[in-house]
Amino acid sequence: MFNSNLPESELLKALLEPLLEDFNYWFDRSAKLLETEEIPFLSDEDQSDLLARVKQAQQEVGAAKALFQATGGQVGIETAALMPWHTLLAESWQVSVRFRSLQLARPGK
């Protein structure tokens, strides 16, 4: 649990830094899946579109992280900017879960 007596900048750093790391991690995993696997329930166009959106989000998260670090944790991120990333991650997770389920269901695996 976070100490509510922390100065605002320390609280921001304690919350935002790990969140940005999580976004980086999950977007990286999503990009690797979409780049290396043929997802049978997505058209080539849909898979390319999802990959492009993931890569765009990776760049946005990277820019936010760089700005956050360059300012010593003094800059926050609006919730409105975080929500599209969260929504995209949820979409990517659904694709991943469905893809993994199909792999497990295949005979001989």
Side-chain angles (χ1 to χ4, degrees), residues 19-85:
L19 181 62
L20 293 174
E21 289 298 323
D22 283 349
F23 277 123
N24 271 333
Y25 174 80
W26 289 108
F27 282 137
D28 184 56
R29 286 194 56 161
S30 297
K32 285 179 182 168
L33 174 71
L34 294 165
E35 289 171 336
T36 61
E37 300 290 343
E38 183 179 325
I39 312 294
F41 52 86
L42 292 178
S43 70
D44 290 343
E45 184 178 308
D46 288 342
Q47 186 168 341
S48 292
D49 175 66
L50 181 55
L51 177 58
R53 290 185 290 131
V54 166
K55 288 184 174 266
Q56 176 66 38
Q58 283 179 302
Q59 291 176 345
E60 292 169 2
V61 171
K65 186 176 177 183
L67 182 60
F68 183 74
Q69 290 174 338
T71 62
Q74 298 297 311
V75 173
I77 299 175
E78 291 285 334
T79 304
L82 295 173
M83 289 311 297
W85 298 342

Short mmCIF file of all heavy atoms in Angstrom, two decimals, residues 19-85:
data_model
loop_
_atom_site.label_atom_id
_atom_site.label_comp_id
_atom_site.label_asym_id
_atom_site.label_seq_id
_atom_site.Cartn_x
_atom_site.Cartn_y
_atom_site.Cartn_z
N LEU A 19 3.59 1.78 -13.78
CA LEU A 19 2.54 1.67 -14.77
C LEU A 19 3.10 1.77 -16.18
O LEU A 19 2.76 0.98 -17.06
CB LEU A 19 1.48 2.76 -14.54
CG LEU A 19 0.30 2.75 -15.50
CD1 LEU A 19 -0.49 1.45 -15.40
CD2 LEU A 19 -0.60 3.95 -15.23
N LEU A 20 4.00 2.71 -16.40
CA LEU A 20 4.63 2.84 -17.72
C LEU A 20 5.47 1.62 -18.06
O LEU A 20 5.48 1.17 -19.21
CB LEU A 20 5.47 4.12 -17.78
CG LEU A 20 4.68 5.43 -17.72
CD1 LEU A 20 5.63 6.62 -17.64
CD2 LEU A 20 3.74 5.56 -18.90
N GLU A 21 6.14 1.06 -17.07
CA GLU A 21 6.91 -0.18 -17.28
C GLU A 21 5.98 -1.32 -17.69
O GLU A 21 6.31 -2.12 -18.57
CB GLU A 21 7.71 -0.55 -16.03
CG GLU A 21 8.88 0.35 -15.76
CD GLU A 21 9.92 0.32 -16.85
OE1 GLU A 21 10.18 -0.74 -17.44
OE2 GLU A 21 10.48 1.40 -17.13
N ASP A 22 4.83 -1.41 -17.03
CA ASP A 22 3.86 -2.46 -17.37
C ASP A 22 3.36 -2.28 -18.80
O ASP A 22 3.26 -3.25 -19.56
CB ASP A 22 2.67 -2.44 -16.41
CG ASP A 22 2.98 -3.07 -15.07
OD1 ASP A 22 4.04 -3.71 -14.92
OD2 ASP A 22 2.15 -2.92 -14.15
N PHE A 23 3.03 -1.05 -19.17
CA PHE A 23 2.59 -0.81 -20.54
C PHE A 23 3.69 -1.23 -21.52
O PHE A 23 3.41 -1.89 -22.53
CB PHE A 23 2.24 0.67 -20.76
CG PHE A 23 0.86 1.04 -20.33
CD1 PHE A 23 0.65 2.05 -19.40
CD2 PHE A 23 -0.26 0.42 -20.86
CE1 PHE A 23 -0.62 2.42 -19.00
CE2 PHE A 23 -1.55 0.77 -20.48
CZ PHE A 23 -1.72 1.78 -19.54
N ASN A 24 4.93 -0.85 -21.25
CA ASN A 24 6.05 -1.25 -22.13
C ASN A 24 6.13 -2.76 -22.26
O ASN A 24 6.26 -3.29 -23.37
CB ASN A 24 7.38 -0.72 -21.58
CG ASN A 24 7.71 0.65 -22.06
OD1 ASN A 24 7.29 1.08 -23.12
ND2 ASN A 24 8.49 1.36 -21.27
N TYR A 25 6.07 -3.46 -21.14
CA TYR A 25 6.19 -4.91 -21.13
C TYR A 25 5.08 -5.57 -21.97
O TYR A 25 5.35 -6.40 -22.83
CB TYR A 25 6.14 -5.42 -19.69
CG TYR A 25 6.13 -6.93 -19.59
CD1 TYR A 25 7.31 -7.65 -19.72
CD2 TYR A 25 4.94 -7.62 -19.38
CE1 TYR A 25 7.30 -9.04 -19.64
CE2 TYR A 25 4.93 -9.00 -19.30
CZ TYR A 25 6.11 -9.71 -19.43
OH TYR A 25 6.10 -11.09 -19.36
N TRP A 26 3.83 -5.19 -21.71
CA TRP A 26 2.72 -5.85 -22.38
C TRP A 26 2.61 -5.46 -23.84
O TRP A 26 2.25 -6.29 -24.68
CB TRP A 26 1.42 -5.60 -21.62
CG TRP A 26 1.40 -6.35 -20.34
CD1 TRP A 26 1.51 -5.85 -19.08
CD2 TRP A 26 1.33 -7.78 -20.18
NE1 TRP A 26 1.50 -6.87 -18.15
CE2 TRP A 26 1.39 -8.05 -18.81
CE3 TRP A 26 1.22 -8.84 -21.08
CZ2 TRP A 26 1.34 -9.35 -18.30
CZ3 TRP A 26 1.16 -10.14 -20.58
CH2 TRP A 26 1.23 -10.38 -19.21
N PHE A 27 2.93 -4.23 -24.18
CA PHE A 27 2.93 -3.85 -25.59
C PHE A 27 4.04 -4.59 -26.33
O PHE A 27 3.87 -5.00 -27.48
CB PHE A 27 3.06 -2.34 -25.78
CG PHE A 27 1.79 -1.58 -25.54
CD1 PHE A 27 1.80 -0.39 -24.84
CD2 PHE A 27 0.57 -2.03 -26.03
CE1 PHE A 27 0.62 0.32 -24.62
CE2 PHE A 27 -0.61 -1.34 -25.82
CZ PHE A 27 -0.58 -0.15 -25.11
N ASP A 28 5.18 -4.78 -25.69
CA ASP A 28 6.28 -5.53 -26.32
C ASP A 28 5.86 -6.97 -26.57
O ASP A 28 6.08 -7.51 -27.66
CB ASP A 28 7.52 -5.48 -25.43
CG ASP A 28 8.71 -6.15 -26.08
OD1 ASP A 28 9.09 -5.76 -27.20
OD2 ASP A 28 9.28 -7.09 -25.46
N ARG A 29 5.24 -7.60 -25.60
CA ARG A 29 4.75 -8.98 -25.79
C ARG A 29 3.72 -9.06 -26.90
O ARG A 29 3.74 -9.99 -27.71
CB ARG A 29 4.15 -9.52 -24.48
CG ARG A 29 5.23 -9.86 -23.47
CD ARG A 29 4.69 -10.68 -22.36
NE ARG A 29 4.07 -11.90 -22.88
CZ ARG A 29 3.83 -12.96 -22.15
NH1 ARG A 29 4.15 -12.98 -20.89
NH2 ARG A 29 3.24 -14.01 -22.68
N SER A 30 2.82 -8.10 -26.94
CA SER A 30 1.78 -8.08 -27.97
C SER A 30 2.40 -7.93 -29.35
O SER A 30 2.02 -8.62 -30.30
CB SER A 30 0.79 -6.94 -27.72
OG SER A 30 0.11 -7.15 -26.50
N ALA A 31 3.36 -7.01 -29.47
CA ALA A 31 4.01 -6.78 -30.76
C ALA A 31 4.73 -8.05 -31.22
O ALA A 31 4.63 -8.42 -32.40
CB ALA A 31 4.99 -5.61 -30.67
N LYS A 32 5.43 -8.72 -30.31
CA LYS A 32 6.15 -9.94 -30.68
C LYS A 32 5.18 -11.02 -31.18
O LYS A 32 5.46 -11.70 -32.16
CB LYS A 32 6.97 -10.45 -29.50
CG LYS A 32 8.21 -9.62 -29.27
CD LYS A 32 9.00 -10.11 -28.08
CE LYS A 32 10.20 -9.21 -27.88
NZ LYS A 32 10.87 -9.43 -26.62
N LEU A 33 4.06 -11.18 -30.50
CA LEU A 33 3.07 -12.16 -30.93
C LEU A 33 2.56 -11.83 -32.33
O LEU A 33 2.52 -12.69 -33.21
CB LEU A 33 1.89 -12.21 -29.95
CG LEU A 33 0.73 -13.11 -30.37
CD1 LEU A 33 1.12 -14.58 -30.28
CD2 LEU A 33 -0.50 -12.83 -29.53
N LEU A 34 2.19 -10.57 -32.53
CA LEU A 34 1.62 -10.16 -33.82
C LEU A 34 2.64 -10.19 -34.95
O LEU A 34 2.27 -10.38 -36.11
CB LEU A 34 1.01 -8.77 -33.68
CG LEU A 34 -0.21 -8.69 -32.76
CD1 LEU A 34 -0.53 -7.26 -32.39
CD2 LEU A 34 -1.41 -9.38 -33.38
N GLU A 35 3.90 -10.02 -34.63
CA GLU A 35 4.96 -10.06 -35.65
C GLU A 35 5.38 -11.47 -36.02
O GLU A 35 5.82 -11.72 -37.14
CB GLU A 35 6.19 -9.28 -35.17
CG GLU A 35 6.01 -7.80 -35.12
CD GLU A 35 7.15 -7.07 -34.44
OE1 GLU A 35 7.87 -7.66 -33.61
OE2 GLU A 35 7.32 -5.88 -34.74
N THR A 36 5.24 -12.40 -35.08
CA THR A 36 5.81 -13.73 -35.29
C THR A 36 4.79 -14.83 -35.56
O THR A 36 5.16 -15.92 -35.99
CB THR A 36 6.68 -14.17 -34.09
OG1 THR A 36 5.86 -14.21 -32.92
CG2 THR A 36 7.84 -13.22 -33.88
N GLU A 37 3.54 -14.57 -35.28
CA GLU A 37 2.52 -15.62 -35.42
C GLU A 37 1.45 -15.19 -36.41
O GLU A 37 1.11 -14.02 -36.52
CB GLU A 37 1.85 -15.91 -34.07
CG GLU A 37 2.78 -16.39 -32.99
CD GLU A 37 3.33 -17.78 -33.22
OE1 GLU A 37 2.76 -18.53 -34.04
OE2 GLU A 37 4.32 -18.13 -32.56
N GLU A 38 0.93 -16.18 -37.11
CA GLU A 38 -0.26 -15.94 -37.93
C GLU A 38 -1.46 -16.22 -37.05
O GLU A 38 -1.64 -17.33 -36.57
CB GLU A 38 -0.26 -16.87 -39.14
CG GLU A 38 -1.42 -16.63 -40.07
CD GLU A 38 -1.38 -17.54 -41.29
OE1 GLU A 38 -0.29 -17.85 -41.78
OE2 GLU A 38 -2.48 -17.95 -41.72
N ILE A 39 -2.25 -15.21 -36.84
CA ILE A 39 -3.41 -15.34 -35.96
C ILE A 39 -4.59 -15.74 -36.84
O ILE A 39 -5.09 -14.93 -37.62
CB ILE A 39 -3.71 -14.00 -35.23
CG1 ILE A 39 -2.44 -13.41 -34.60
CG2 ILE A 39 -4.82 -14.19 -34.21
CD1 ILE A 39 -1.84 -14.19 -33.48
N PRO A 40 -5.04 -16.99 -36.74
CA PRO A 40 -6.02 -17.51 -37.70
C PRO A 40 -7.39 -16.82 -37.68
O PRO A 40 -8.09 -16.81 -38.69
CB PRO A 40 -6.16 -18.98 -37.32
CG PRO A 40 -5.60 -19.12 -35.97
CD PRO A 40 -4.64 -18.00 -35.76
N PHE A 41 -7.76 -16.22 -36.58
CA PHE A 41 -9.08 -15.58 -36.51
C PHE A 41 -9.04 -14.09 -36.83
O PHE A 41 -10.06 -13.42 -36.76
CB PHE A 41 -9.72 -15.81 -35.13
CG PHE A 41 -8.83 -15.42 -33.97
CD1 PHE A 41 -8.81 -14.12 -33.51
CD2 PHE A 41 -8.02 -16.37 -33.37
CE1 PHE A 41 -8.00 -13.77 -32.46
CE2 PHE A 41 -7.20 -16.02 -32.32
CZ PHE A 41 -7.19 -14.72 -31.86
N LEU A 42 -7.85 -13.59 -37.20
CA LEU A 42 -7.72 -12.20 -37.67
C LEU A 42 -7.35 -12.21 -39.15
O LEU A 42 -6.51 -13.01 -39.56
CB LEU A 42 -6.62 -11.46 -36.91
CG LEU A 42 -6.83 -11.15 -35.43
CD1 LEU A 42 -5.60 -10.45 -34.85
CD2 LEU A 42 -8.08 -10.30 -35.22
N SER A 43 -7.94 -11.33 -39.89
CA SER A 43 -7.50 -11.17 -41.27
C SER A 43 -6.10 -10.56 -41.24
O SER A 43 -5.68 -9.98 -40.23
CB SER A 43 -8.46 -10.26 -42.04
OG SER A 43 -8.35 -8.92 -41.58
N ASP A 44 -5.38 -10.69 -42.35
CA ASP A 44 -4.05 -10.07 -42.43
C ASP A 44 -4.14 -8.58 -42.16
O ASP A 44 -3.29 -8.00 -41.46
CB ASP A 44 -3.41 -10.32 -43.80
CG ASP A 44 -3.01 -11.77 -44.01
OD1 ASP A 44 -2.91 -12.52 -43.01
OD2 ASP A 44 -2.78 -12.15 -45.17
N GLU A 45 -5.18 -7.96 -42.69
CA GLU A 45 -5.37 -6.51 -42.50
C GLU A 45 -5.63 -6.18 -41.03
O GLU A 45 -5.06 -5.22 -40.50
CB GLU A 45 -6.54 -6.03 -43.36
CG GLU A 45 -6.76 -4.54 -43.30
CD GLU A 45 -7.90 -4.10 -44.21
OE1 GLU A 45 -7.89 -4.46 -45.41
OE2 GLU A 45 -8.79 -3.42 -43.69
N ASP A 46 -6.47 -6.98 -40.37
CA ASP A 46 -6.77 -6.73 -38.96
C ASP A 46 -5.53 -6.94 -38.09
O ASP A 46 -5.28 -6.17 -37.15
CB ASP A 46 -7.90 -7.62 -38.47
CG ASP A 46 -9.25 -7.21 -39.02
OD1 ASP A 46 -9.39 -6.05 -39.48
OD2 ASP A 46 -10.18 -8.05 -38.99
N GLN A 47 -4.75 -7.97 -38.41
CA GLN A 47 -3.54 -8.22 -37.64
C GLN A 47 -2.54 -7.09 -37.85
O GLN A 47 -1.92 -6.61 -36.88
CB GLN A 47 -2.93 -9.57 -38.03
CG GLN A 47 -1.75 -9.95 -37.15
CD GLN A 47 -1.33 -11.41 -37.32
OE1 GLN A 47 -2.09 -12.24 -37.81
NE2 GLN A 47 -0.11 -11.71 -36.90
N SER A 48 -2.38 -6.64 -39.07
CA SER A 48 -1.47 -5.52 -39.36
C SER A 48 -1.94 -4.25 -38.67
O SER A 48 -1.11 -3.48 -38.14
CB SER A 48 -1.38 -5.28 -40.87
OG SER A 48 -0.74 -6.35 -41.49
N ASP A 49 -3.25 -4.01 -38.67
CA ASP A 49 -3.79 -2.83 -38.02
C ASP A 49 -3.53 -2.87 -36.51
O ASP A 49 -3.10 -1.87 -35.92
CB ASP A 49 -5.29 -2.73 -38.29
CG ASP A 49 -5.93 -1.59 -37.52
OD1 ASP A 49 -5.60 -0.42 -37.81
OD2 ASP A 49 -6.75 -1.86 -36.62
N LEU A 50 -3.77 -4.03 -35.90
CA LEU A 50 -3.54 -4.16 -34.46
C LEU A 50 -2.06 -3.96 -34.15
O LEU A 50 -1.70 -3.25 -33.20
CB LEU A 50 -4.03 -5.51 -33.95
CG LEU A 50 -3.89 -5.78 -32.45
CD1 LEU A 50 -4.55 -4.69 -31.62
CD2 LEU A 50 -4.45 -7.16 -32.11
N LEU A 51 -1.18 -4.55 -34.96
CA LEU A 51 0.25 -4.38 -34.76
C LEU A 51 0.65 -2.90 -34.89
O LEU A 51 1.41 -2.38 -34.09
CB LEU A 51 1.04 -5.24 -35.74
CG LEU A 51 2.57 -5.10 -35.67
CD1 LEU A 51 3.10 -5.44 -34.28
CD2 LEU A 51 3.21 -5.98 -36.74
N ALA A 52 0.12 -2.22 -35.87
CA ALA A 52 0.43 -0.80 -36.06
C ALA A 52 -0.03 0.02 -34.86
O ALA A 52 0.69 0.93 -34.40
CB ALA A 52 -0.21 -0.28 -37.34
N ARG A 53 -1.20 -0.30 -34.33
CA ARG A 53 -1.70 0.44 -33.17
C ARG A 53 -0.86 0.16 -31.92
O ARG A 53 -0.60 1.05 -31.11
CB ARG A 53 -3.18 0.11 -32.92
CG ARG A 53 -4.06 0.71 -34.00
CD ARG A 53 -5.55 0.52 -33.74
NE ARG A 53 -5.94 -0.89 -33.89
CZ ARG A 53 -6.65 -1.57 -33.00
NH1 ARG A 53 -7.10 -0.99 -31.90
NH2 ARG A 53 -6.97 -2.83 -33.23
N VAL A 54 -0.40 -1.10 -31.78
CA VAL A 54 0.47 -1.46 -30.66
C VAL A 54 1.80 -0.71 -30.78
O VAL A 54 2.29 -0.15 -29.80
CB VAL A 54 0.69 -2.99 -30.59
CG1 VAL A 54 1.84 -3.35 -29.66
CG2 VAL A 54 -0.60 -3.69 -30.14
N LYS A 55 2.37 -0.69 -31.97
CA LYS A 55 3.64 0.02 -32.17
C LYS A 55 3.49 1.52 -31.91
O LYS A 55 4.37 2.15 -31.33
CB LYS A 55 4.20 -0.26 -33.56
CG LYS A 55 4.74 -1.66 -33.69
CD LYS A 55 5.38 -1.88 -35.05
CE LYS A 55 6.03 -3.23 -35.08
NZ LYS A 55 7.44 -3.18 -34.73
N GLN A 56 2.37 2.10 -32.33
CA GLN A 56 2.11 3.52 -32.06
C GLN A 56 2.03 3.76 -30.55
O GLN A 56 2.60 4.72 -30.03
CB GLN A 56 0.82 3.97 -32.75
CG GLN A 56 0.42 5.39 -32.44
CD GLN A 56 1.38 6.42 -33.00
OE1 GLN A 56 1.91 6.25 -34.09
NE2 GLN A 56 1.62 7.48 -32.25
N ALA A 57 1.34 2.87 -29.86
CA ALA A 57 1.21 3.00 -28.41
C ALA A 57 2.58 2.84 -27.73
O ALA A 57 2.87 3.56 -26.77
CB ALA A 57 0.21 1.98 -27.87
N GLN A 58 3.41 1.94 -28.24
CA GLN A 58 4.76 1.79 -27.70
C GLN A 58 5.53 3.10 -27.81
O GLN A 58 6.23 3.49 -26.87
CB GLN A 58 5.54 0.69 -28.44
CG GLN A 58 5.16 -0.72 -28.06
CD GLN A 58 5.95 -1.74 -28.85
OE1 GLN A 58 5.90 -1.76 -30.07
NE2 GLN A 58 6.67 -2.59 -28.14
N GLN A 59 5.42 3.76 -28.94
CA GLN A 59 6.10 5.04 -29.12
C GLN A 59 5.55 6.09 -28.16
O GLN A 59 6.31 6.88 -27.58
CB GLN A 59 5.96 5.52 -30.57
CG GLN A 59 6.73 4.67 -31.55
CD GLN A 59 6.50 5.10 -32.99
OE1 GLN A 59 5.58 5.85 -33.30
NE2 GLN A 59 7.35 4.60 -33.89
N GLU A 60 4.24 6.12 -28.00
CA GLU A 60 3.62 7.09 -27.09
C GLU A 60 4.06 6.84 -25.65
O GLU A 60 4.39 7.79 -24.92
CB GLU A 60 2.10 7.01 -27.20
CG GLU A 60 1.57 7.49 -28.53
CD GLU A 60 0.09 7.17 -28.74
OE1 GLU A 60 -0.54 6.58 -27.82
OE2 GLU A 60 -0.43 7.51 -29.82
N VAL A 61 4.06 5.58 -25.23
CA VAL A 61 4.50 5.24 -23.87
C VAL A 61 5.97 5.61 -23.70
O VAL A 61 6.36 6.18 -22.67
CB VAL A 61 4.26 3.75 -23.56
CG1 VAL A 61 4.91 3.36 -22.24
CG2 VAL A 61 2.77 3.45 -23.52
N GLY A 62 6.78 5.32 -24.71
CA GLY A 62 8.20 5.68 -24.64
C GLY A 62 8.40 7.18 -24.50
O GLY A 62 9.25 7.64 -23.72
N ALA A 63 7.63 7.95 -25.24
CA ALA A 63 7.73 9.41 -25.15
C ALA A 63 7.29 9.90 -23.78
O ALA A 63 7.93 10.78 -23.18
CB ALA A 63 6.90 10.06 -26.24
N ALA A 64 6.21 9.33 -23.26
CA ALA A 64 5.72 9.72 -21.93
C ALA A 64 6.75 9.37 -20.86
O ALA A 64 7.02 10.17 -19.95
CB ALA A 64 4.40 9.03 -21.63
N LYS A 65 7.36 8.20 -20.99
CA LYS A 65 8.37 7.77 -20.03
C LYS A 65 9.60 8.68 -20.10
O LYS A 65 10.15 9.07 -19.06
CB LYS A 65 8.75 6.32 -20.29
CG LYS A 65 9.69 5.75 -19.27
CD LYS A 65 9.96 4.28 -19.51
CE LYS A 65 10.96 3.77 -18.50
NZ LYS A 65 11.31 2.38 -18.74
N ALA A 66 10.02 9.02 -21.31
CA ALA A 66 11.18 9.90 -21.47
C ALA A 66 10.91 11.28 -20.86
O ALA A 66 11.77 11.84 -20.17
CB ALA A 66 11.54 10.03 -22.95
N LEU A 67 9.73 11.81 -21.09
CA LEU A 67 9.36 13.10 -20.52
C LEU A 67 9.29 13.02 -18.99
O LEU A 67 9.78 13.91 -18.29
CB LEU A 67 8.01 13.56 -21.09
CG LEU A 67 7.51 14.92 -20.64
CD1 LEU A 67 8.50 16.03 -21.01
CD2 LEU A 67 6.14 15.21 -21.25
N PHE A 68 8.72 11.96 -18.51
CA PHE A 68 8.62 11.75 -17.07
C PHE A 68 10.01 11.70 -16.44
O PHE A 68 10.28 12.35 -15.42
CB PHE A 68 7.85 10.46 -16.79
CG PHE A 68 7.62 10.17 -15.33
CD1 PHE A 68 6.70 10.90 -14.62
CD2 PHE A 68 8.31 9.16 -14.70
CE1 PHE A 68 6.47 10.64 -13.27
CE2 PHE A 68 8.10 8.89 -13.36
CZ PHE A 68 7.17 9.63 -12.64
N GLN A 69 10.93 10.98 -17.06
CA GLN A 69 12.29 10.86 -16.54
C GLN A 69 13.06 12.16 -16.69
O GLN A 69 13.81 12.56 -15.79
CB GLN A 69 13.03 9.71 -17.23
CG GLN A 69 12.48 8.36 -16.82
CD GLN A 69 13.09 7.20 -17.59
OE1 GLN A 69 13.61 7.36 -18.68
NE2 GLN A 69 13.00 6.00 -17.02
N ALA A 70 12.88 12.84 -17.82
CA ALA A 70 13.61 14.09 -18.07
C ALA A 70 13.21 15.19 -17.08
O ALA A 70 14.01 16.08 -16.79
CB ALA A 70 13.36 14.57 -19.49
N THR A 71 12.00 15.11 -16.56
CA THR A 71 11.53 16.12 -15.60
C THR A 71 11.69 15.66 -14.16
O THR A 71 11.17 16.31 -13.25
CB THR A 71 10.06 16.48 -15.87
OG1 THR A 71 9.26 15.31 -15.68
CG2 THR A 71 9.87 17.06 -17.26
N GLY A 72 12.37 14.55 -13.96
CA GLY A 72 12.56 14.05 -12.61
C GLY A 72 11.27 13.61 -11.95
O GLY A 72 11.11 13.70 -10.73
N GLY A 73 10.33 13.15 -12.75
CA GLY A 73 9.06 12.66 -12.21
C GLY A 73 8.08 13.77 -11.86
O GLY A 73 7.14 13.55 -11.11
N GLN A 74 8.30 14.95 -12.42
CA GLN A 74 7.44 16.09 -12.11
C GLN A 74 6.25 16.22 -13.06
O GLN A 74 5.40 17.08 -12.86
CB GLN A 74 8.26 17.39 -12.17
CG GLN A 74 9.39 17.44 -11.16
CD GLN A 74 8.88 17.40 -9.72
OE1 GLN A 74 7.98 18.15 -9.37
NE2 GLN A 74 9.44 16.52 -8.92
N VAL A 75 6.19 15.40 -14.10
CA VAL A 75 5.12 15.49 -15.09
C VAL A 75 4.27 14.23 -15.02
O VAL A 75 4.79 13.12 -15.03
CB VAL A 75 5.71 15.64 -16.52
CG1 VAL A 75 4.63 15.57 -17.56
CG2 VAL A 75 6.49 16.93 -16.64
N GLY A 76 2.98 14.43 -14.92
CA GLY A 76 2.06 13.30 -14.89
C GLY A 76 1.48 13.06 -16.27
O GLY A 76 1.87 13.68 -17.25
N ILE A 77 0.56 12.12 -16.34
CA ILE A 77 -0.13 11.80 -17.59
C ILE A 77 -1.62 11.83 -17.31
O ILE A 77 -2.09 11.23 -16.34
CB ILE A 77 0.29 10.40 -18.11
CG1 ILE A 77 1.78 10.36 -18.39
CG2 ILE A 77 -0.50 10.05 -19.36
CD1 ILE A 77 2.29 9.00 -18.80
N GLU A 78 -2.34 12.53 -18.15
CA GLU A 78 -3.79 12.60 -18.02
C GLU A 78 -4.40 11.22 -18.16
O GLU A 78 -3.95 10.41 -18.99
CB GLU A 78 -4.38 13.52 -19.10
CG GLU A 78 -4.05 14.97 -18.94
CD GLU A 78 -4.85 15.65 -17.85
OE1 GLU A 78 -5.97 15.18 -17.54
OE2 GLU A 78 -4.34 16.63 -17.29
N THR A 79 -5.43 10.96 -17.40
CA THR A 79 -6.16 9.70 -17.50
C THR A 79 -6.67 9.48 -18.92
O THR A 79 -6.68 8.35 -19.42
CB THR A 79 -7.32 9.67 -16.50
OG1 THR A 79 -6.80 9.92 -15.19
CG2 THR A 79 -8.03 8.34 -16.52
N ALA A 80 -7.05 10.56 -19.57
CA ALA A 80 -7.55 10.46 -20.95
C ALA A 80 -6.48 9.90 -21.89
O ALA A 80 -6.81 9.28 -22.90
CB ALA A 80 -8.02 11.82 -21.44
N ALA A 81 -5.21 10.11 -21.58
CA ALA A 81 -4.13 9.55 -22.40
C ALA A 81 -3.89 8.08 -22.06
O ALA A 81 -3.50 7.29 -22.93
CB ALA A 81 -2.85 10.35 -22.21
N LEU A 82 -4.12 7.71 -20.82
CA LEU A 82 -3.89 6.33 -20.39
C LEU A 82 -4.98 5.37 -20.86
O LEU A 82 -4.71 4.20 -21.14
CB LEU A 82 -3.80 6.25 -18.86
CG LEU A 82 -2.64 6.95 -18.19
CD1 LEU A 82 -2.82 6.92 -16.68
CD2 LEU A 82 -1.33 6.31 -18.58
N MET A 83 -6.19 5.85 -20.94
CA MET A 83 -7.32 4.96 -21.26
C MET A 83 -7.21 4.28 -22.63
O MET A 83 -7.47 3.08 -22.73
CB MET A 83 -8.65 5.71 -21.13
CG MET A 83 -9.01 6.00 -19.68
SD MET A 83 -8.88 4.58 -18.57
CE MET A 83 -10.10 3.48 -19.25
N PRO A 84 -6.79 4.98 -23.69
CA PRO A 84 -6.63 4.27 -24.96
C PRO A 84 -5.57 3.16 -24.89
O PRO A 84 -5.72 2.11 -25.51
CB PRO A 84 -6.22 5.36 -25.95
CG PRO A 84 -6.72 6.63 -25.35
CD PRO A 84 -6.63 6.43 -23.86
N TRP A 85 -4.52 3.38 -24.11
CA TRP A 85 -3.50 2.34 -23.95
C TRP A 85 -4.09 1.14 -23.23
O TRP A 85 -3.86 0.00 -23.61
CB TRP A 85 -2.29 2.86 -23.17
CG TRP A 85 -1.55 3.99 -23.81
CD1 TRP A 85 -1.60 4.37 -25.14
CD2 TRP A 85 -0.67 4.89 -23.17
NE1 TRP A 85 -0.78 5.45 -25.33
CE2 TRP A 85 -0.19 5.80 -24.15
CE3 TRP A 85 -0.21 5.03 -21.87
CZ2 TRP A 85 0.71 6.81 -23.86
CZ3 TRP A 85 0.69 6.05 -21.58
CH2 TRP A 85 1.14 6.92 -22.56
#
